[in-house]
Amino acid sequence: MNNKKVIIFSAPSGAGKSTIVTYLMKRYPILGFSVSATSRAPRGAEVNGREYYFFTSEEFRTKIDNDEFIEYEEVYKGSYYGTLKSEIDRLWNNGKIIVFDIDVVGGVNLKNLFGDSALSVFIKPPSLEILRERLTGRGTEDIESVEKRVKKAQYELTFEDKFDKVLINDNLEACLKEAERITEEFIS
Ligand code: ADP
Ligand code: 5GP
């Protein structure tokens, strides 16, 4: 058994969360990725049940009303994201240490819920300019969406003190090494 631990990764969009989480998931089979629910549309090659459980706004609302979420947020106007209680049960029943890729406010909420069973990690971009470059370079957002995310990042960066660890994602290789180190320290 793993004593029901969880690792929470939060960051402004574009800081490198998915890159880091994907790397760690491949490296440590004990980790299980928490697939969130969202009301936003799939983008690129995203598959329902792998990156997200995709729902219409109405379906999402019904799940809120039925108290099916451990937490949820309207991360961007009109786009809801949340963690289903059933997802936590699924992963813990499979003996996994749960990994969350979740927005900054959701990350703080989950840390408050799980306490010492959780390691919360804030991934910080070197600067807002670099964040904008990464979001643009990823090619998944139009200009309006990039600017919305950069604007929100300024607010999100004020939360870093509320996390157990802060990882600066400047040089990717160095950041992945540090992510491995803190993961091993926590799961061992
Ligand atoms: P998030 O999941 O936080 O939104 P991503 O992992 O999708 O961010 O990263 C955003 C973009 O930045 C991707 O195109 C990714 O390849 C790139 N990226 C991630 N880390 C670095 C880094 N250290 N240096 C340069 N580019 C990076
Ligand atoms: P994206 O649209 O880029 O996939 O995600 C946008 C933001 O929503 C990211 O910061 C991501 O971490 C966050 N997010 C994903 N799943 C959840 C969730 O279950 N709850 C909350 N609060 N945020 C989430």
Side-chain angles (χ1 to χ4, degrees), residues 9-14 17-18 34-38 40 43 46 51-52 69 71-76 79-84 100-107 109-110 138 141 149 156:
F9 288 97
S10 294
S13 178
K17 254 184 332 258
S18 308
S34 168
V35 179
S36 294
T38 184
R40 82 148 163 77
R43 70 178 176 222
E46 287 178 337
E51 283 82 7
Y52 284 104
F69 291 106
E71 67 77 40
Y72 71 90
E73 295 285 329
E74 185 178 10
V75 178
Y76 300 105
S79 295
Y80 284 86
Y81 296 78
T83 306
L84 290 162
F100 294 98
D101 168 342
I102 187 170
D103 92 299
V104 168
V105 174
N109 287 340
L110 283 187
R138 191 169 68 185
E141 315 302 318
R149 284 162 192 253
E156 292 172 321

Short mmCIF file of all heavy atoms in Angstrom, two decimals, residues 9-14 17-18 34-38 40 43 46 51-52 69 71-76 79-84 100-107 109-110 138 141 149 156, ligand 2:
data_model
loop_
_atom_site.label_atom_id
_atom_site.label_comp_id
_atom_site.label_asym_id
_atom_site.label_seq_id
_atom_site.Cartn_x
_atom_site.Cartn_y
_atom_site.Cartn_z
N PHE A 9 0.60 19.06 -8.99
CA PHE A 9 1.39 20.00 -9.79
C PHE A 9 0.47 21.11 -10.25
O PHE A 9 -0.55 20.85 -10.90
CB PHE A 9 2.02 19.30 -11.00
CG PHE A 9 3.15 18.38 -10.64
CD1 PHE A 9 2.92 17.02 -10.49
CD2 PHE A 9 4.42 18.88 -10.44
CE1 PHE A 9 3.96 16.16 -10.15
CE2 PHE A 9 5.48 18.03 -10.09
CZ PHE A 9 5.24 16.66 -9.95
N SER A 10 0.85 22.33 -9.91
CA SER A 10 0.07 23.48 -10.35
C SER A 10 1.01 24.51 -10.96
O SER A 10 2.19 24.61 -10.57
CB SER A 10 -0.65 24.14 -9.18
OG SER A 10 -1.63 23.28 -8.66
N ALA A 11 0.48 25.27 -11.90
CA ALA A 11 1.29 26.29 -12.57
C ALA A 11 0.39 27.10 -13.47
O ALA A 11 -0.67 26.62 -13.88
CB ALA A 11 2.37 25.62 -13.42
N PRO A 12 0.84 28.29 -13.84
CA PRO A 12 0.13 28.98 -14.91
C PRO A 12 0.21 28.14 -16.19
O PRO A 12 1.18 27.41 -16.40
CB PRO A 12 0.94 30.27 -15.09
CG PRO A 12 1.70 30.44 -13.81
CD PRO A 12 1.96 29.06 -13.30
N SER A 13 -0.83 28.22 -17.00
CA SER A 13 -0.85 27.48 -18.26
C SER A 13 0.38 27.85 -19.10
O SER A 13 0.70 29.03 -19.23
CB SER A 13 -2.13 27.83 -19.02
OG SER A 13 -2.17 27.18 -20.24
N GLY A 14 1.07 26.87 -19.62
CA GLY A 14 2.24 27.10 -20.47
C GLY A 14 3.55 27.02 -19.72
O GLY A 14 4.63 27.06 -20.32
N LYS A 17 3.79 22.21 -17.03
CA LYS A 17 3.22 21.15 -16.20
C LYS A 17 3.07 19.83 -16.94
O LYS A 17 3.53 18.80 -16.47
CB LYS A 17 1.82 21.56 -15.75
CG LYS A 17 1.72 21.98 -14.33
CD LYS A 17 0.29 22.29 -13.94
CE LYS A 17 -0.59 22.76 -14.98
NZ LYS A 17 -1.19 23.71 -15.54
N SER A 18 2.42 19.86 -18.09
CA SER A 18 2.17 18.61 -18.82
C SER A 18 3.47 17.93 -19.19
O SER A 18 3.59 16.71 -19.10
CB SER A 18 1.38 18.87 -20.11
OG SER A 18 0.26 19.60 -19.82
N SER A 34 -4.45 11.66 -12.50
CA SER A 34 -5.86 11.98 -12.28
C SER A 34 -6.42 12.67 -13.52
O SER A 34 -6.04 13.79 -13.84
CB SER A 34 -5.99 12.90 -11.06
OG SER A 34 -7.29 13.42 -11.01
N VAL A 35 -7.29 11.97 -14.22
CA VAL A 35 -7.92 12.53 -15.41
C VAL A 35 -9.07 13.42 -14.95
O VAL A 35 -10.01 12.95 -14.31
CB VAL A 35 -8.43 11.40 -16.34
CG1 VAL A 35 -9.11 11.99 -17.57
CG2 VAL A 35 -7.27 10.47 -16.74
N SER A 36 -8.93 14.70 -15.25
CA SER A 36 -9.96 15.67 -14.82
C SER A 36 -11.13 15.66 -15.78
O SER A 36 -11.01 15.23 -16.93
CB SER A 36 -9.37 17.08 -14.82
OG SER A 36 -8.38 17.19 -13.84
N ALA A 37 -12.22 16.21 -15.30
CA ALA A 37 -13.36 16.48 -16.17
C ALA A 37 -13.27 17.93 -16.62
O ALA A 37 -12.77 18.78 -15.87
CB ALA A 37 -14.65 16.26 -15.40
N THR A 38 -13.71 18.21 -17.84
CA THR A 38 -13.74 19.61 -18.29
C THR A 38 -14.91 19.83 -19.23
O THR A 38 -15.38 18.89 -19.88
CB THR A 38 -12.43 20.00 -19.01
OG1 THR A 38 -12.49 21.39 -19.35
CG2 THR A 38 -12.19 19.21 -20.29
N ARG A 40 -14.43 22.24 -21.52
CA ARG A 40 -13.86 22.82 -22.75
C ARG A 40 -13.78 21.73 -23.83
O ARG A 40 -13.78 20.54 -23.52
CB ARG A 40 -12.50 23.46 -22.49
CG ARG A 40 -11.30 22.53 -22.44
CD ARG A 40 -10.04 23.24 -22.96
NE ARG A 40 -8.80 22.56 -22.59
CZ ARG A 40 -8.33 21.46 -23.17
NH1 ARG A 40 -9.03 20.82 -24.09
NH2 ARG A 40 -7.16 20.96 -22.79
N ARG A 43 -8.67 19.50 -27.69
CA ARG A 43 -7.80 20.18 -28.67
C ARG A 43 -6.72 19.21 -29.12
O ARG A 43 -6.33 18.32 -28.38
CB ARG A 43 -7.22 21.47 -28.08
CG ARG A 43 -6.21 21.23 -27.02
CD ARG A 43 -5.61 22.54 -26.48
NE ARG A 43 -4.71 22.21 -25.40
CZ ARG A 43 -4.59 22.85 -24.25
NH1 ARG A 43 -5.31 23.91 -24.01
NH2 ARG A 43 -3.74 22.44 -23.34
N GLU A 46 -6.13 15.20 -28.29
CA GLU A 46 -6.66 14.77 -26.98
C GLU A 46 -7.78 13.73 -27.14
O GLU A 46 -8.61 13.84 -28.03
CB GLU A 46 -7.20 15.99 -26.21
CG GLU A 46 -6.08 16.87 -25.68
CD GLU A 46 -6.58 18.10 -24.96
OE1 GLU A 46 -7.73 18.53 -25.20
OE2 GLU A 46 -5.81 18.66 -24.15
N GLU A 51 -6.61 12.43 -21.63
CA GLU A 51 -6.24 13.76 -21.11
C GLU A 51 -7.32 14.32 -20.19
O GLU A 51 -7.03 14.92 -19.16
CB GLU A 51 -5.99 14.74 -22.26
CG GLU A 51 -4.67 14.57 -22.97
CD GLU A 51 -4.70 13.47 -24.01
OE1 GLU A 51 -5.80 12.93 -24.27
OE2 GLU A 51 -3.64 13.12 -24.55
N TYR A 52 -8.56 14.17 -20.61
CA TYR A 52 -9.71 14.67 -19.84
C TYR A 52 -10.91 13.78 -20.09
O TYR A 52 -10.97 13.06 -21.09
CB TYR A 52 -10.11 16.09 -20.31
CG TYR A 52 -9.21 17.20 -19.86
CD1 TYR A 52 -8.31 17.80 -20.73
CD2 TYR A 52 -9.29 17.70 -18.56
CE1 TYR A 52 -7.48 18.84 -20.32
CE2 TYR A 52 -8.46 18.75 -18.14
CZ TYR A 52 -7.56 19.31 -19.03
OH TYR A 52 -6.76 20.34 -18.61
N PHE A 69 -17.89 16.09 -7.55
CA PHE A 69 -16.51 16.60 -7.60
C PHE A 69 -15.91 16.77 -6.22
O PHE A 69 -16.58 17.23 -5.30
CB PHE A 69 -16.47 17.96 -8.32
CG PHE A 69 -16.77 17.88 -9.78
CD1 PHE A 69 -17.98 18.32 -10.28
CD2 PHE A 69 -15.84 17.35 -10.67
CE1 PHE A 69 -18.27 18.24 -11.64
CE2 PHE A 69 -16.11 17.27 -12.03
CZ PHE A 69 -17.33 17.71 -12.51
N GLU A 71 -13.28 18.76 -6.11
CA GLU A 71 -13.06 20.19 -6.33
C GLU A 71 -13.35 20.49 -7.78
O GLU A 71 -13.22 19.62 -8.64
CB GLU A 71 -11.62 20.61 -5.95
CG GLU A 71 -10.52 20.05 -6.84
CD GLU A 71 -10.37 20.72 -8.19
OE1 GLU A 71 -10.47 21.94 -8.27
OE2 GLU A 71 -10.15 19.99 -9.18
N TYR A 72 -13.76 21.72 -8.06
CA TYR A 72 -13.90 22.18 -9.45
C TYR A 72 -13.71 23.68 -9.48
O TYR A 72 -13.88 24.36 -8.45
CB TYR A 72 -15.25 21.77 -10.05
CG TYR A 72 -16.42 22.52 -9.48
CD1 TYR A 72 -16.84 23.72 -10.06
CD2 TYR A 72 -17.08 22.06 -8.35
CE1 TYR A 72 -17.91 24.43 -9.51
CE2 TYR A 72 -18.14 22.76 -7.81
CZ TYR A 72 -18.54 23.94 -8.39
OH TYR A 72 -19.58 24.65 -7.84
N GLU A 73 -13.33 24.20 -10.64
CA GLU A 73 -13.13 25.64 -10.82
C GLU A 73 -13.59 26.03 -12.22
O GLU A 73 -13.44 25.24 -13.16
CB GLU A 73 -11.63 25.99 -10.76
CG GLU A 73 -10.94 25.76 -9.45
CD GLU A 73 -11.28 26.79 -8.40
OE1 GLU A 73 -11.53 27.95 -8.76
OE2 GLU A 73 -11.32 26.39 -7.23
N GLU A 74 -14.06 27.26 -12.33
CA GLU A 74 -14.23 27.84 -13.67
C GLU A 74 -12.88 28.50 -13.97
O GLU A 74 -12.65 29.66 -13.66
CB GLU A 74 -15.37 28.87 -13.68
CG GLU A 74 -15.67 29.41 -15.06
CD GLU A 74 -16.82 30.40 -15.07
OE1 GLU A 74 -17.27 30.81 -13.98
OE2 GLU A 74 -17.27 30.76 -16.17
N VAL A 75 -11.95 27.70 -14.51
CA VAL A 75 -10.55 28.17 -14.63
C VAL A 75 -10.47 29.34 -15.61
O VAL A 75 -9.79 30.33 -15.35
CB VAL A 75 -9.62 27.02 -15.06
CG1 VAL A 75 -8.18 27.52 -15.22
CG2 VAL A 75 -9.65 25.88 -14.01
N TYR A 76 -11.16 29.22 -16.74
CA TYR A 76 -11.29 30.34 -17.67
C TYR A 76 -12.78 30.54 -17.90
O TYR A 76 -13.55 29.59 -17.82
CB TYR A 76 -10.57 30.04 -18.99
CG TYR A 76 -9.10 29.78 -18.78
CD1 TYR A 76 -8.59 28.50 -18.83
CD2 TYR A 76 -8.24 30.83 -18.46
CE1 TYR A 76 -7.25 28.26 -18.58
CE2 TYR A 76 -6.91 30.60 -18.21
CZ TYR A 76 -6.41 29.32 -18.27
OH TYR A 76 -5.09 29.09 -18.01
N SER A 79 -15.23 27.91 -19.06
CA SER A 79 -14.59 26.59 -19.11
C SER A 79 -14.39 26.05 -17.70
O SER A 79 -13.58 26.58 -16.93
CB SER A 79 -13.24 26.65 -19.82
OG SER A 79 -13.41 27.00 -21.16
N TYR A 80 -15.11 24.99 -17.41
CA TYR A 80 -15.04 24.37 -16.08
C TYR A 80 -14.08 23.19 -16.11
O TYR A 80 -13.99 22.47 -17.11
CB TYR A 80 -16.42 23.87 -15.65
CG TYR A 80 -17.34 24.99 -15.22
CD1 TYR A 80 -18.09 25.69 -16.15
CD2 TYR A 80 -17.43 25.34 -13.88
CE1 TYR A 80 -18.92 26.72 -15.76
CE2 TYR A 80 -18.26 26.37 -13.48
CZ TYR A 80 -18.99 27.06 -14.42
OH TYR A 80 -19.81 28.09 -14.02
N TYR A 81 -13.38 23.02 -14.99
CA TYR A 81 -12.47 21.88 -14.82
C TYR A 81 -12.69 21.35 -13.42
O TYR A 81 -12.84 22.13 -12.48
CB TYR A 81 -11.01 22.32 -14.92
CG TYR A 81 -10.57 22.88 -16.25
CD1 TYR A 81 -10.89 24.19 -16.62
CD2 TYR A 81 -9.83 22.11 -17.12
CE1 TYR A 81 -10.47 24.70 -17.83
CE2 TYR A 81 -9.39 22.64 -18.34
CZ TYR A 81 -9.73 23.92 -18.69
OH TYR A 81 -9.32 24.44 -19.88
N GLY A 82 -12.66 20.03 -13.25
CA GLY A 82 -12.85 19.49 -11.91
C GLY A 82 -12.36 18.07 -11.78
O GLY A 82 -12.18 17.36 -12.76
N THR A 83 -12.13 17.68 -10.52
CA THR A 83 -11.68 16.33 -10.21
C THR A 83 -12.85 15.53 -9.67
O THR A 83 -13.44 15.89 -8.64
CB THR A 83 -10.57 16.39 -9.13
OG1 THR A 83 -9.54 17.26 -9.59
CG2 THR A 83 -10.01 15.00 -8.87
N LEU A 84 -13.18 14.45 -10.35
CA LEU A 84 -14.29 13.60 -9.92
C LEU A 84 -13.86 12.73 -8.74
O LEU A 84 -12.76 12.17 -8.75
CB LEU A 84 -14.74 12.70 -11.08
CG LEU A 84 -15.44 13.43 -12.25
CD1 LEU A 84 -15.45 12.56 -13.50
CD2 LEU A 84 -16.87 13.80 -11.86
N PHE A 100 -1.86 15.01 -9.74
CA PHE A 100 -2.81 16.00 -10.24
C PHE A 100 -2.08 17.05 -11.07
O PHE A 100 -1.05 17.57 -10.64
CB PHE A 100 -3.51 16.73 -9.09
CG PHE A 100 -4.39 15.86 -8.25
CD1 PHE A 100 -3.93 15.35 -7.05
CD2 PHE A 100 -5.68 15.56 -8.66
CE1 PHE A 100 -4.75 14.55 -6.26
CE2 PHE A 100 -6.50 14.77 -7.88
CZ PHE A 100 -6.03 14.26 -6.68
N ASP A 101 -2.65 17.37 -12.21
CA ASP A 101 -2.23 18.54 -13.01
C ASP A 101 -3.44 19.46 -12.95
O ASP A 101 -4.46 19.21 -13.58
CB ASP A 101 -1.93 18.08 -14.44
CG ASP A 101 -1.77 19.23 -15.43
OD1 ASP A 101 -2.19 20.36 -15.14
OD2 ASP A 101 -1.20 18.99 -16.51
N ILE A 102 -3.31 20.50 -12.17
CA ILE A 102 -4.51 21.24 -11.77
C ILE A 102 -4.17 22.72 -11.63
O ILE A 102 -3.01 23.06 -11.37
CB ILE A 102 -5.02 20.61 -10.45
CG1 ILE A 102 -6.35 21.16 -10.01
CG2 ILE A 102 -4.03 20.71 -9.35
CD1 ILE A 102 -6.92 20.35 -8.85
N ASP A 103 -5.16 23.58 -11.80
CA ASP A 103 -4.87 25.01 -11.74
C ASP A 103 -4.46 25.41 -10.31
O ASP A 103 -4.63 24.63 -9.37
CB ASP A 103 -6.08 25.84 -12.23
CG ASP A 103 -7.00 26.22 -11.12
OD1 ASP A 103 -7.54 25.32 -10.47
OD2 ASP A 103 -7.16 27.43 -10.87
N VAL A 104 -3.92 26.61 -10.18
CA VAL A 104 -3.27 27.03 -8.94
C VAL A 104 -4.25 27.05 -7.75
O VAL A 104 -3.94 26.55 -6.67
CB VAL A 104 -2.62 28.41 -9.17
CG1 VAL A 104 -2.19 29.04 -7.87
CG2 VAL A 104 -1.45 28.28 -10.14
N VAL A 105 -5.44 27.57 -7.97
CA VAL A 105 -6.43 27.64 -6.88
C VAL A 105 -6.86 26.23 -6.50
O VAL A 105 -6.93 25.88 -5.31
CB VAL A 105 -7.64 28.50 -7.31
CG1 VAL A 105 -8.73 28.46 -6.26
CG2 VAL A 105 -7.20 29.93 -7.57
N GLY A 106 -7.10 25.38 -7.49
CA GLY A 106 -7.47 23.98 -7.23
C GLY A 106 -6.36 23.27 -6.47
O GLY A 106 -6.62 22.45 -5.58
N GLY A 107 -5.11 23.58 -6.81
CA GLY A 107 -3.96 22.95 -6.15
C GLY A 107 -3.92 23.30 -4.67
O GLY A 107 -3.70 22.44 -3.82
N ASN A 109 -6.48 24.22 -2.86
CA ASN A 109 -7.64 23.56 -2.24
C ASN A 109 -7.35 22.09 -1.95
O ASN A 109 -7.67 21.58 -0.87
CB ASN A 109 -8.87 23.66 -3.15
CG ASN A 109 -9.43 25.07 -3.19
OD1 ASN A 109 -9.16 25.88 -2.29
ND2 ASN A 109 -10.18 25.38 -4.22
N LEU A 110 -6.74 21.40 -2.91
CA LEU A 110 -6.45 19.97 -2.70
C LEU A 110 -5.41 19.78 -1.60
O LEU A 110 -5.51 18.85 -0.80
CB LEU A 110 -5.96 19.32 -3.99
CG LEU A 110 -7.02 19.00 -5.05
CD1 LEU A 110 -6.40 18.20 -6.18
CD2 LEU A 110 -8.19 18.22 -4.46
N ARG A 138 3.66 26.50 -28.54
CA ARG A 138 2.93 25.24 -28.45
C ARG A 138 1.90 25.12 -29.57
O ARG A 138 1.55 24.02 -29.99
CB ARG A 138 2.24 25.14 -27.08
CG ARG A 138 1.68 23.78 -26.78
CD ARG A 138 1.25 23.65 -25.33
NE ARG A 138 0.08 24.49 -25.03
CZ ARG A 138 -0.45 24.64 -23.81
NH1 ARG A 138 0.09 24.00 -22.79
NH2 ARG A 138 -1.49 25.40 -23.61
N GLU A 141 -3.09 27.56 -28.94
CA GLU A 141 -3.96 28.68 -28.54
C GLU A 141 -3.95 29.77 -29.61
O GLU A 141 -2.90 30.03 -30.21
CB GLU A 141 -3.46 29.33 -27.24
CG GLU A 141 -3.06 28.39 -26.12
CD GLU A 141 -4.16 27.45 -25.68
OE1 GLU A 141 -5.31 27.88 -25.56
OE2 GLU A 141 -3.86 26.25 -25.48
N ARG A 149 -4.34 33.73 -20.92
CA ARG A 149 -3.56 32.86 -20.04
C ARG A 149 -2.40 33.63 -19.39
O ARG A 149 -2.10 33.44 -18.21
CB ARG A 149 -3.08 31.63 -20.81
CG ARG A 149 -4.20 30.63 -21.01
CD ARG A 149 -3.98 29.59 -22.10
NE ARG A 149 -5.24 28.90 -22.37
CZ ARG A 149 -5.56 27.66 -22.02
NH1 ARG A 149 -4.66 26.91 -21.40
NH2 ARG A 149 -6.74 27.13 -22.28
N GLU A 156 -1.80 34.22 -10.78
CA GLU A 156 -1.45 32.88 -10.29
C GLU A 156 -0.07 32.85 -9.63
O GLU A 156 0.15 32.11 -8.66
CB GLU A 156 -1.51 31.86 -11.43
CG GLU A 156 -2.94 31.64 -11.93
CD GLU A 156 -3.00 30.79 -13.19
OE1 GLU A 156 -2.15 30.95 -14.07
OE2 GLU A 156 -3.92 29.97 -13.30
P1 5GP B 2 -5.86 23.30 -20.27
O1 5GP B 2 -7.08 23.91 -20.90
O2 5GP B 2 -4.59 23.99 -20.70
O3 5GP B 2 -5.80 21.80 -20.44
O4 5GP B 2 -5.96 23.51 -18.70
C1 5GP B 2 -6.21 24.77 -18.18
C2 5GP B 2 -5.97 24.77 -16.69
O5 5GP B 2 -6.94 23.94 -16.01
C3 5GP B 2 -4.61 24.21 -16.29
O6 5GP B 2 -4.05 25.10 -15.33
C4 5GP B 2 -4.94 22.88 -15.69
O7 5GP B 2 -3.99 22.49 -14.73
C5 5GP B 2 -6.27 23.19 -15.03
N1 5GP B 2 -7.01 21.98 -14.65
C6 5GP B 2 -7.02 20.78 -15.26
N2 5GP B 2 -7.77 19.92 -14.59
C7 5GP B 2 -8.25 20.56 -13.52
C8 5GP B 2 -9.09 20.18 -12.41
O8 5GP B 2 -9.54 19.04 -12.29
N3 5GP B 2 -9.38 21.13 -11.50
C9 5GP B 2 -8.90 22.38 -11.59
N4 5GP B 2 -9.22 23.22 -10.61
N5 5GP B 2 -8.10 22.78 -12.58
C10 5GP B 2 -7.78 21.89 -13.54
#
